[in-house]
Coordinates of all heavy atoms in Angstrom, one line a residue:
M21 N 10.2 -17.5 -3.2 CA 10.5 -16.2 -2.5 C 9.3 -15.4 -2.4 O 8.5 -15.2 -3.3 CB 11.5 -15.5 -3.4 CG 12.0 -14.2 -2.9 SD 13.2 -13.4 -3.9 CE 12.6 -11.8 -4.0
Q22 N 9.1 -14.9 -1.2 CA 7.9 -14.1 -0.9 C 8.1 -12.7 -1.4 O 9.2 -12.1 -1.3 CB 7.6 -14.0 0.6 CG 6.3 -13.4 0.9 CD 6.0 -13.5 2.4 OE1 6.9 -13.8 3.2 NE2 4.8 -13.2 2.8
K23 N 7.1 -12.1 -2.0 CA 7.2 -10.7 -2.6 C 6.8 -9.7 -1.5 O 6.0 -9.9 -0.6 CB 6.3 -10.5 -3.8 CG 6.6 -11.4 -5.0 CD 5.6 -11.1 -6.1 CE 6.0 -11.8 -7.3 NZ 5.0 -11.5 -8.4
D24 N 7.3 -8.5 -1.7 CA 6.9 -7.3 -0.9 C 5.4 -7.1 -1.3 O 5.0 -7.2 -2.4 CB 7.7 -6.1 -1.2 CG 9.2 -6.2 -0.8 OD1 9.5 -7.1 0.1 OD2 10.0 -5.5 -1.3
R25 N 4.6 -6.6 -0.3 CA 3.2 -6.4 -0.6 C 2.9 -4.9 -0.6 O 3.3 -4.2 0.3 CB 2.3 -7.0 0.5 CG 2.3 -8.5 0.5 CD 1.2 -9.0 1.4 NE 1.5 -10.4 1.8 CZ 0.8 -11.0 2.6 NH1 -0.2 -10.5 3.3 NH2 1.1 -12.3 2.9
L26 N 2.3 -4.5 -1.6 CA 1.9 -3.1 -1.8 C 0.4 -3.0 -1.7 O -0.4 -3.6 -2.5 CB 2.3 -2.5 -3.1 CG 1.9 -1.1 -3.5 CD1 2.4 -0.1 -2.5 CD2 2.3 -0.7 -4.9
F27 N -0.1 -2.2 -0.7 CA -1.6 -2.0 -0.5 C -2.0 -0.6 -1.0 O -1.4 0.4 -0.7 CB -1.9 -2.2 0.9 CG -1.8 -3.6 1.5 CD1 -0.7 -4.0 2.1 CD2 -2.9 -4.5 1.3 CE1 -0.5 -5.2 2.6 CE2 -2.7 -5.8 1.8 CZ -1.6 -6.1 2.5
L28 N -3.0 -0.6 -1.9 CA -3.5 0.6 -2.5 C -5.0 0.6 -2.2 O -5.7 -0.4 -2.2 CB -3.2 0.7 -4.0 CG -1.8 0.6 -4.4 CD1 -1.7 0.5 -5.9 CD2 -1.0 1.9 -4.0
L29 N -5.6 1.8 -2.1 CA -7.0 1.9 -2.0 C -7.6 1.8 -3.4 O -7.1 2.4 -4.4 CB -7.5 3.3 -1.4 CG -7.1 3.5 0.1 CD1 -7.6 4.9 0.5 CD2 -7.8 2.4 0.9
K30 N -8.7 1.1 -3.5 CA -9.4 1.1 -4.8 C -10.0 2.4 -5.1 O -10.5 3.1 -4.2 CB -10.6 0.1 -4.7 CG -10.2 -1.4 -4.6 CD -11.4 -2.3 -4.6 CE -11.0 -3.7 -4.4 NZ -12.2 -4.6 -4.4
P31 N -9.8 2.9 -6.4 CA -10.3 4.2 -6.7 C -11.9 4.2 -6.8 O -12.5 3.2 -6.9 CB -9.7 4.5 -8.1 CG -9.4 3.1 -8.6 CD -9.1 2.2 -7.5
G32 N -12.4 5.4 -6.7 CA -13.9 5.6 -6.9 C -14.7 5.3 -5.6 O -15.8 4.9 -5.7
F33 N -14.0 5.4 -4.4 CA -14.8 5.1 -3.2 C -15.6 6.2 -2.8 O -15.5 7.4 -3.2 CB -13.8 4.7 -2.1 CG -12.8 5.7 -1.7 CD1 -13.1 6.7 -0.8 CD2 -11.5 5.7 -2.2 CE1 -12.1 7.7 -0.5 CE2 -10.5 6.6 -1.9 CZ -10.8 7.6 -1.0
H34 N -16.6 5.9 -1.9 CA -17.5 6.9 -1.4 C -17.3 7.0 0.1 O -17.1 6.0 0.8 CB -19.0 6.6 -1.7 CG -19.3 6.6 -3.2 ND1 -19.9 7.6 -3.8 CD2 -19.0 5.7 -4.1 CE1 -20.0 7.4 -5.1 NE2 -19.5 6.2 -5.3
D35 N -17.4 8.2 0.7 CA -17.3 8.4 2.1 C -18.4 9.3 2.6 O -18.6 10.4 2.0 CB -15.9 9.1 2.4 CG -15.6 9.2 3.9 OD1 -16.2 8.5 4.6 OD2 -14.8 10.1 4.2
A36 N -19.1 8.8 3.6 CA -20.3 9.6 4.1 C -21.3 10.0 3.0 O -21.8 11.1 3.0 CB -19.8 10.8 4.9
G37 N -21.5 9.0 2.1 CA -22.5 9.3 1.1 C -22.0 10.2 0.0 O -22.8 10.6 -0.9
E38 N -20.8 10.7 0.0 CA -20.3 11.6 -1.0 C -19.2 10.9 -1.8 O -18.6 9.9 -1.4 CB -19.7 12.8 -0.4 CG -20.8 13.7 0.4 CD -20.2 14.9 0.9 OE1 -19.2 15.4 0.4 OE2 -20.7 15.4 1.9
G39 N -18.9 11.4 -3.0 CA -17.9 10.8 -3.8 C -18.4 10.7 -5.2 O -19.4 11.3 -5.5
P40 N -17.7 10.1 -6.1 CA -16.6 9.2 -5.8 C -15.3 10.0 -5.6 O -15.1 11.1 -6.1 CB -16.5 8.3 -7.1 CG -17.0 9.2 -8.2 CD -18.1 10.1 -7.5
F41 N -14.4 9.4 -4.7 CA -13.2 10.0 -4.4 C -12.0 9.0 -4.8 O -12.3 7.9 -5.2 CB -13.0 10.2 -2.9 CG -14.0 11.2 -2.3 CD1 -15.0 10.7 -1.5 CD2 -13.8 12.5 -2.6 CE1 -15.9 11.7 -0.9 CE2 -14.7 13.4 -2.0 CZ -15.7 13.0 -1.2
H42 N -10.8 9.5 -4.8 CA -9.6 8.7 -5.0 C -8.6 9.2 -4.0 O -8.6 10.3 -3.5 CB -9.1 8.8 -6.4 CG -8.5 10.1 -6.8 ND1 -9.2 11.2 -7.2 CD2 -7.2 10.5 -6.8 CE1 -8.4 12.2 -7.4 NE2 -7.2 11.8 -7.1
C43 N -7.7 8.3 -3.7 CA -6.5 8.6 -2.8 C -5.4 9.2 -3.7 O -4.9 8.5 -4.6 CB -6.1 7.4 -2.1 SG -4.5 7.5 -1.2
P44 N -5.0 10.5 -3.5 CA -4.0 11.0 -4.4 C -2.7 10.3 -4.3 O -2.0 10.1 -5.3 CB -3.8 12.5 -3.8 CG -5.1 12.8 -3.1 CD -5.6 11.4 -2.6
E45 N -2.3 9.8 -3.1 CA -1.0 9.1 -3.0 C -1.1 7.8 -3.7 O -0.1 7.3 -4.4 CB -0.7 8.9 -1.5 CG -0.3 10.2 -0.8 CD -1.5 11.0 -0.3 OE1 -2.7 10.5 -0.5 OE2 -1.3 12.1 0.2
C46 N -2.2 7.1 -3.6 CA -2.4 5.8 -4.3 C -2.4 6.0 -5.8 O -1.8 5.2 -6.5 CB -3.7 5.1 -3.8 SG -3.6 4.5 -2.1
A47 N -3.0 7.1 -6.3 CA -3.0 7.4 -7.7 C -1.5 7.7 -8.2 O -1.2 7.2 -9.3 CB -3.8 8.6 -8.0
Q48 N -0.7 8.3 -7.4 CA 0.7 8.6 -7.7 C 1.4 7.3 -7.9 O 2.2 7.1 -8.8 CB 1.4 9.5 -6.7 CG 0.9 10.9 -6.8 CD 1.5 11.8 -5.7 OE1 1.9 11.2 -4.7 NE2 1.4 13.1 -5.9
V49 N 1.2 6.3 -6.9 CA 1.9 5.1 -7.0 C 1.4 4.3 -8.2 O 2.2 3.6 -8.9 CB 1.7 4.3 -5.7 CG1 2.3 2.9 -5.8 CG2 2.4 5.0 -4.5
T50 N 0.1 4.3 -8.5 CA -0.4 3.6 -9.6 C 0.2 4.2 -10.9 O 0.6 3.4 -11.8 CB -1.9 3.8 -9.7 OG1 -2.5 3.2 -8.5 CG2 -2.5 3.1 -10.9
G51 N 0.4 5.5 -11.0 CA 1.1 6.1 -12.1 C 2.5 5.6 -12.2 O 3.0 5.4 -13.3
L52 N 3.2 5.5 -11.1 CA 4.6 5.0 -11.1 C 4.6 3.6 -11.7 O 5.5 3.3 -12.5 CB 5.2 5.0 -9.7 CG 6.5 4.3 -9.6 CD1 7.6 5.2 -10.2 CD2 6.8 4.1 -8.1
L53 N 3.6 2.8 -11.3 CA 3.6 1.4 -11.8 C 3.3 1.4 -13.3 O 3.7 0.4 -14.0 CB 2.5 0.6 -11.1 CG 2.8 0.4 -9.6 CD1 1.6 -0.2 -8.9 CD2 4.1 -0.5 -9.4
E54 N 2.6 2.4 -13.8 CA 2.3 2.5 -15.3 C 3.6 2.8 -16.0 O 3.9 2.3 -17.1 CB 1.2 3.5 -15.6 CG -0.1 3.0 -15.1 CD -0.6 1.8 -15.9 OE1 -0.4 1.7 -17.1 OE2 -1.2 0.9 -15.2
Y55 N 4.4 3.7 -15.5 CA 5.7 4.1 -16.1 C 6.7 3.0 -16.0 O 7.6 2.9 -16.9 CB 6.3 5.4 -15.4 CG 5.7 6.7 -16.0 CD1 4.7 7.3 -15.3 CD2 6.3 7.2 -17.1 CE1 4.2 8.5 -15.9 CE2 5.8 8.4 -17.6 CZ 4.8 9.0 -17.0 OH 4.3 10.2 -17.5
H56 N 6.7 2.2 -15.0 CA 7.6 1.1 -14.7 C 6.9 -0.2 -14.5 O 6.9 -0.7 -13.4 CB 8.5 1.5 -13.6 CG 9.3 2.7 -13.7 ND1 10.4 2.9 -14.5 CD2 9.0 4.0 -13.2 CE1 10.8 4.1 -14.5 NE2 10.0 4.8 -13.7
P57 N 6.3 -0.8 -15.5 CA 5.5 -2.0 -15.4 C 6.2 -3.2 -14.8 O 5.6 -4.1 -14.3 CB 4.9 -2.2 -16.8 CG 5.7 -1.4 -17.7 CD 6.3 -0.3 -16.9
Q58 N 7.6 -3.2 -15.0 CA 8.3 -4.3 -14.5 C 8.2 -4.4 -12.9 O 8.4 -5.5 -12.4 CB 9.8 -4.2 -14.9 CG 10.6 -3.0 -14.3 CD 10.4 -1.7 -15.0 OE1 9.5 -1.5 -15.8 NE2 11.4 -0.8 -14.7
L59 N 7.9 -3.3 -12.3 CA 7.7 -3.3 -10.8 C 6.5 -4.2 -10.4 O 6.5 -4.8 -9.3 CB 7.5 -1.9 -10.3 CG 8.7 -1.0 -10.4 CD1 8.3 0.4 -9.9 CD2 9.8 -1.5 -9.5
R60 N 5.5 -4.3 -11.3 CA 4.4 -5.2 -11.0 C 4.8 -6.6 -10.8 O 4.1 -7.3 -10.0 CB 3.3 -5.0 -12.1 CG 2.6 -3.7 -12.1 CD 1.5 -3.7 -13.1 NE 0.9 -2.4 -13.2 CZ -0.1 -2.0 -12.4 NH1 -0.6 -2.8 -11.5 NH2 -0.6 -0.8 -12.5
N61 N 5.8 -7.1 -11.4 CA 6.3 -8.4 -11.3 C 7.0 -8.7 -10.0 O 7.2 -9.8 -9.6 CB 7.2 -8.8 -12.5 CG 6.4 -8.8 -13.8 OD1 5.2 -9.1 -13.8 ND2 7.1 -8.5 -14.8
L62 N 7.5 -7.6 -9.4 CA 8.3 -7.7 -8.2 C 7.4 -7.6 -6.9 O 7.9 -7.9 -5.8 CB 9.4 -6.6 -8.1 CG 10.4 -6.6 -9.3 CD1 11.3 -5.4 -9.2 CD2 11.2 -7.9 -9.3
L63 N 6.2 -7.1 -7.1 CA 5.3 -6.8 -5.9 C 4.1 -7.6 -6.0 O 3.6 -8.0 -7.0 CB 5.0 -5.3 -5.9 CG 6.1 -4.3 -5.8 CD1 5.5 -2.9 -6.1 CD2 6.7 -4.4 -4.5
D64 N 3.5 -7.9 -4.8 CA 2.2 -8.4 -4.6 C 1.3 -7.2 -4.4 O 1.3 -6.7 -3.3 CB 2.2 -9.4 -3.5 CG 0.8 -9.9 -3.2 OD1 -0.2 -9.7 -4.0 OD2 0.6 -10.6 -2.1
I65 N 0.6 -6.8 -5.4 CA -0.2 -5.5 -5.3 C -1.6 -5.9 -4.9 O -2.3 -6.7 -5.6 CB -0.1 -4.7 -6.6 CG1 1.3 -4.4 -6.9 CG2 -1.0 -3.5 -6.5 CD1 1.5 -3.8 -8.3
Q66 N -2.1 -5.3 -3.8 CA -3.5 -5.6 -3.4 C -4.2 -4.3 -3.2 O -3.7 -3.4 -2.6 CB -3.5 -6.3 -2.1 CG -2.8 -7.7 -2.2 CD -2.8 -8.5 -0.9 OE1 -3.6 -8.2 0.0 NE2 -1.9 -9.4 -0.7
Q67 N -5.4 -4.2 -3.9 CA -6.3 -3.1 -3.7 C -7.3 -3.4 -2.6 O -7.9 -4.5 -2.7 CB -7.0 -2.7 -5.0 CG -6.0 -2.2 -6.1 CD -6.8 -1.6 -7.2 OE1 -7.9 -2.0 -7.6 NE2 -6.2 -0.6 -7.9
V68 N -7.4 -2.5 -1.7 CA -8.4 -2.7 -0.6 C -9.5 -1.6 -0.6 O -9.3 -0.5 -1.2 CB -7.6 -2.7 0.8 CG1 -6.7 -3.8 0.9 CG2 -6.9 -1.4 1.0
E69 N -10.6 -1.9 0.0 CA -11.7 -1.0 0.1 C -11.3 0.1 1.0 O -10.5 0.0 2.0 CB -12.9 -1.7 0.5 CG -13.4 -2.8 -0.4 CD -14.0 -2.3 -1.7 OE1 -14.3 -1.1 -1.8 OE2 -14.1 -3.1 -2.6
F70 N -12.0 1.3 0.9 CA -11.7 2.5 1.7 C -12.2 2.3 3.2 O -11.4 2.7 4.1 CB -12.4 3.7 1.1 CG -12.4 4.9 2.0 CD1 -11.2 5.6 2.1 CD2 -13.5 5.3 2.7 CE1 -11.1 6.7 2.9 CE2 -13.4 6.5 3.5 CZ -12.2 7.1 3.6
P71 N -13.4 1.7 3.5 CA -13.8 1.7 4.9 C -12.8 0.9 5.7 O -12.2 -0.1 5.3 CB -15.1 1.0 4.8 CG -15.6 1.2 3.4 CD -14.4 1.2 2.6
R72 N -12.7 1.4 7.0 CA -11.9 0.7 8.0 C -12.8 -0.1 8.8 O -13.9 0.3 9.0 CB -11.1 1.8 8.8 CG -10.0 2.5 8.0 CD -9.3 3.5 8.9 NE -8.4 4.2 8.1 CZ -7.2 4.6 8.6 NH1 -6.8 4.2 9.8 NH2 -6.4 5.3 7.8
P73 N -12.3 -1.2 9.4 CA -10.9 -1.7 9.3 C -10.7 -2.3 8.0 O -11.6 -2.8 7.3 CB -10.9 -2.7 10.4 CG -12.3 -3.2 10.6 CD -13.2 -2.0 10.2
R74 N -9.4 -2.3 7.6 CA -8.9 -3.0 6.4 C -8.2 -4.3 6.8 O -7.0 -4.3 7.1 CB -8.0 -2.0 5.6 CG -8.7 -0.7 5.3 CD -7.9 0.3 4.6 NE -8.7 1.5 4.3 CZ -8.3 2.7 4.5 NH1 -7.0 3.0 5.0 NH2 -9.1 3.7 4.3
P75 N -9.0 -5.4 6.8 CA -8.5 -6.6 7.5 C -7.1 -7.1 7.0 O -6.3 -7.6 7.8 CB -9.6 -7.6 7.1 CG -10.8 -6.8 6.9 CD -10.3 -5.5 6.3
A76 N -6.9 -7.0 5.7 CA -5.6 -7.5 5.1 C -4.4 -6.8 5.7 O -3.4 -7.3 6.0 CB -5.6 -7.5 3.6
I77 N -4.6 -5.5 5.9 CA -3.5 -4.6 6.4 C -3.4 -4.8 7.9 O -2.3 -4.9 8.5 CB -3.7 -3.1 6.0 CG1 -3.7 -3.0 4.5 CG2 -2.6 -2.3 6.6 CD1 -4.1 -1.6 4.1
V78 N -4.6 -4.8 8.6 CA -4.6 -5.0 10.1 C -3.9 -6.3 10.5 O -3.2 -6.3 11.4 CB -6.0 -4.9 10.6 CG1 -6.1 -5.3 12.1 CG2 -6.6 -3.5 10.4
A79 N -4.1 -7.3 9.7 CA -3.5 -8.6 10.0 C -2.0 -8.6 10.0 O -1.4 -9.3 10.7 CB -4.0 -9.7 9.0
L80 N -1.5 -7.7 9.2 CA 0.0 -7.6 9.1 C 0.6 -6.5 10.0 O 1.7 -6.7 10.5 CB 0.4 -7.3 7.6 CG 0.2 -8.4 6.6 CD1 0.4 -7.9 5.2 CD2 1.1 -9.6 6.9
L81 N -0.1 -5.4 10.1 CA 0.5 -4.2 10.7 C -0.2 -3.8 12.0 O 0.3 -2.9 12.7 CB 0.6 -3.1 9.7 CG 1.3 -3.3 8.4 CD1 1.2 -2.1 7.5 CD2 2.7 -3.7 8.7
G82 N -1.4 -4.3 12.2 CA -2.2 -3.9 13.4 C -3.1 -2.7 13.0 O -3.0 -2.1 12.0
P83 N -4.1 -2.4 13.9 CA -5.1 -1.4 13.6 C -4.6 0.0 13.5 O -5.3 0.9 13.0 CB -6.1 -1.6 14.7 CG -5.4 -2.2 15.8 CD -4.3 -3.1 15.2
D84 N -3.4 0.3 14.1 CA -2.9 1.6 14.1 C -2.2 2.0 12.8 O -1.7 3.1 12.7 CB -2.0 1.8 15.3 CG -2.7 1.8 16.6 OD1 -4.0 2.0 16.6 OD2 -2.1 1.4 17.6
H85 N -2.0 1.0 11.9 CA -1.2 1.3 10.7 C -1.9 0.8 9.5 O -1.3 0.0 8.7 CB 0.2 0.6 10.9 CG 1.0 1.0 12.1 ND1 1.6 2.1 12.2 CD2 1.1 0.3 13.3 CE1 2.2 2.2 13.4 NE2 1.9 1.2 14.1
Q86 N -3.1 1.3 9.2 CA -3.8 0.8 8.1 C -4.0 1.8 7.0 O -4.9 1.7 6.1 CB -5.1 0.1 8.5 CG -6.0 1.0 9.4 CD -7.2 0.2 9.8 OE1 -8.0 -0.3 9.0 NE2 -7.5 0.2 11.1
S87 N -3.2 2.9 7.0 CA -3.3 3.9 5.9 C -2.7 3.3 4.6 O -1.9 2.4 4.6 CB -2.5 5.1 6.3 OG -3.1 5.7 7.5
C88 N -3.1 3.9 3.5 CA -2.6 3.5 2.2 C -2.1 4.7 1.5 O -2.5 5.9 1.8 CB -3.7 2.9 1.4 SG -4.2 1.3 1.9
P89 N -1.2 4.6 0.6 CA -0.5 3.3 0.2 C 0.5 2.9 1.3 O 1.0 3.7 2.0 CB 0.2 3.7 -1.1 CG 0.5 5.1 -1.0 CD -0.7 5.7 -0.2
V90 N 0.7 1.6 1.4 CA 1.7 1.1 2.3 C 2.4 -0.1 1.7 O 1.7 -0.9 1.0 CB 1.0 0.7 3.7 CG1 0.0 -0.4 3.5 CG2 2.1 0.4 4.7
L91 N 3.7 -0.2 1.9 CA 4.5 -1.2 1.3 C 5.0 -2.1 2.5 O 5.6 -1.5 3.4 CB 5.7 -0.7 0.5 CG 6.7 -1.7 0.0 CD1 6.0 -2.6 -1.1 CD2 7.9 -1.0 -0.6
V92 N 4.6 -3.3 2.5 CA 5.1 -4.3 3.6 C 6.2 -5.1 3.0 O 6.0 -5.9 2.0 CB 3.9 -5.1 4.1 CG1 4.4 -6.1 5.1 CG2 2.7 -4.3 4.6
L93 N 7.4 -5.0 3.6 CA 8.5 -5.7 3.1 C 8.5 -7.1 3.5 O 8.2 -7.4 4.7 CB 9.8 -5.0 3.6 CG 10.0 -3.5 3.2 CD1 11.2 -3.0 3.8 CD2 10.0 -3.4 1.7
A94 N 8.8 -8.0 2.6 CA 8.9 -9.4 2.9 C 10.1 -9.8 3.7 O 10.1 -10.7 4.6 CB 8.9 -10.3 1.6
Q95 N 11.2 -9.1 3.5 CA 12.5 -9.3 4.3 C 12.9 -7.9 4.8 O 12.7 -6.9 4.2 CB 13.6 -9.8 3.3 CG 13.2 -11.1 2.6 CD 13.2 -12.2 3.6 OE1 14.0 -12.3 4.6 NE2 12.3 -13.2 3.4
P96 N 13.6 -7.9 5.9 CA 14.2 -6.7 6.4 C 15.1 -6.1 5.4 O 15.8 -6.8 4.7 CB 15.0 -7.1 7.7 CG 14.4 -8.4 8.1 CD 13.9 -9.1 6.8
P97 N 15.2 -4.8 5.3 CA 16.0 -4.2 4.3 C 17.5 -4.3 4.7 O 17.9 -4.4 5.8 CB 15.6 -2.7 4.3 CG 15.1 -2.5 5.7 CD 14.4 -3.8 6.1
S98 N 18.3 -4.4 3.6 CA 19.7 -4.4 3.9 C 20.3 -3.0 3.7 O 19.8 -2.3 2.9 CB 20.4 -5.4 2.9 OG 20.2 -5.0 1.6
G99 N 21.2 -2.7 4.5 CA 21.7 -1.3 4.5 C 21.2 -0.5 5.6 O 20.4 -1.0 6.5
P100 N 21.5 0.8 5.7 CA 21.1 1.6 6.8 C 19.7 2.0 6.8 O 19.2 2.6 5.9 CB 22.0 2.9 6.6 CG 22.4 2.9 5.2 CD 22.4 1.4 4.7
D101 N 18.9 1.5 7.8 CA 17.5 1.7 7.8 C 17.1 3.2 8.0 O 16.1 3.6 7.5 CB 16.9 1.0 9.0 CG 16.9 -0.5 8.9 OD1 17.2 -1.0 7.8 OD2 16.6 -1.2 9.8
E102 N 18.0 4.0 8.6 CA 17.6 5.4 8.8 C 17.5 6.2 7.5 O 16.8 7.2 7.5 CB 18.6 6.1 9.8 CG 20.0 6.2 9.3 CD 20.9 4.9 9.5 OE1 20.4 4.0 10.1 OE2 22.0 4.9 9.1
T103 N 18.1 5.8 6.5 CA 18.1 6.5 5.2 C 16.8 6.0 4.4 O 16.4 6.7 3.5 CB 19.3 6.3 4.3 OG1 19.4 4.9 4.0 CG2 20.5 6.8 5.1
L104 N 16.2 4.9 4.8 CA 15.1 4.4 4.0 C 13.7 4.8 4.6 O 12.7 4.7 3.9 CB 15.1 2.9 4.0 CG 16.3 2.3 3.3 CD1 16.3 0.8 3.5 CD2 16.4 2.6 1.8
G105 N 13.7 5.3 5.8 CA 12.4 5.6 6.5 C 11.6 4.4 6.8 O 10.4 4.5 6.7
V106 N 12.2 3.3 7.1 CA 11.5 2.1 7.4 C 10.9 2.1 8.8 O 11.6 2.5 9.7 CB 12.4 0.8 7.2 CG1 11.7 -0.4 7.6 CG2 12.8 0.8 5.7
Q107 N 9.7 1.7 8.9 CA 9.1 1.6 10.3 C 8.7 0.1 10.5 O 8.5 -0.6 9.5 CB 7.8 2.4 10.4 CG 8.1 3.9 10.3 CD 6.8 4.7 10.3 OE1 5.7 4.1 10.2 NE2 6.9 6.0 10.6
Q108 N 8.6 -0.3 11.7 CA 8.1 -1.6 12.0 C 6.8 -1.6 12.8 O 6.5 -0.7 13.6 CB 9.2 -2.3 12.9 CG 10.4 -2.7 12.2 CD 11.3 -3.7 13.0 OE1 11.0 -4.1 14.1 NE2 12.4 -4.0 12.4
A109 N 6.0 -2.6 12.5 CA 4.7 -2.8 13.2 C 4.5 -4.3 13.3 O 4.8 -5.1 12.4 CB 3.6 -2.2 12.4
N110 N 4.1 -4.7 14.5 CA 3.8 -6.2 14.8 C 5.1 -7.0 14.5 O 4.9 -8.1 14.0 CB 2.6 -6.7 14.0 CG 1.3 -6.1 14.5 OD1 1.3 -5.6 15.5 ND2 0.3 -6.3 13.7
G111 N 6.2 -6.5 14.8 CA 7.5 -7.2 14.6 C 7.9 -7.3 13.2 O 8.8 -8.0 12.8

């Protein structure tokens, strides 16, 4: 069974020679994973570098959808999509 993929930015990145920075949203998701470590077994978690393009994400979602954090579902969700806020990219 293929796992859902969660992409997070690696912390401590530099932008335009300044930093280190972190992505606040990625930090929140990392905190959630610390509170609920069982989620780590359910997800394929990949940390990517800050600079774009982010090849692993672009390969799945295309160049217009490479922001982080992003969860790529292995299977279409069951149930009403409109309540989940699910978007599609590259089919």
Side-chain angles (χ1 to χ4, degrees):
M21 180 177 135
Q22 191 176 14
K23 293 181 177 182
D24 297 337
R25 290 188 200 177
L26 175 61
F27 291 94
L28 302 169
L29 291 179
K30 290 182 181 178
F33 59 84
H34 294 261
D35 186 23
E38 296 182 26
F41 295 110
H42 71 278
C43 168
E45 293 83 4
C46 292
Q48 289 174 341
V49 172
T50 300
L52 173 72
L53 295 171
E54 290 298 317
Y55 274 98
H56 302 282
Q58 68 275 17
L59 293 175
R60 290 184 180 276
N61 295 327
L62 301 174
L63 300 169
D64 175 9
I65 301 169
Q66 298 182 22
Q67 289 191 330
V68 296
E69 298 290 343
F70 174 74
R72 292 179 185 220
R74 299 176 181 139
I77 301 174
V78 171
L80 293 170
L81 303 178
D84 295 334
H85 304 283
Q86 53 183 308
S87 296
C88 287
V90 64
L91 178 65
V92 179
L93 302 176
Q95 300 291 325
S98 59
D101 292 351
E102 65 274 1
T103 62
L104 298 174
V106 174
Q107 298 178 344
Q108 286 191 3
N110 288 347

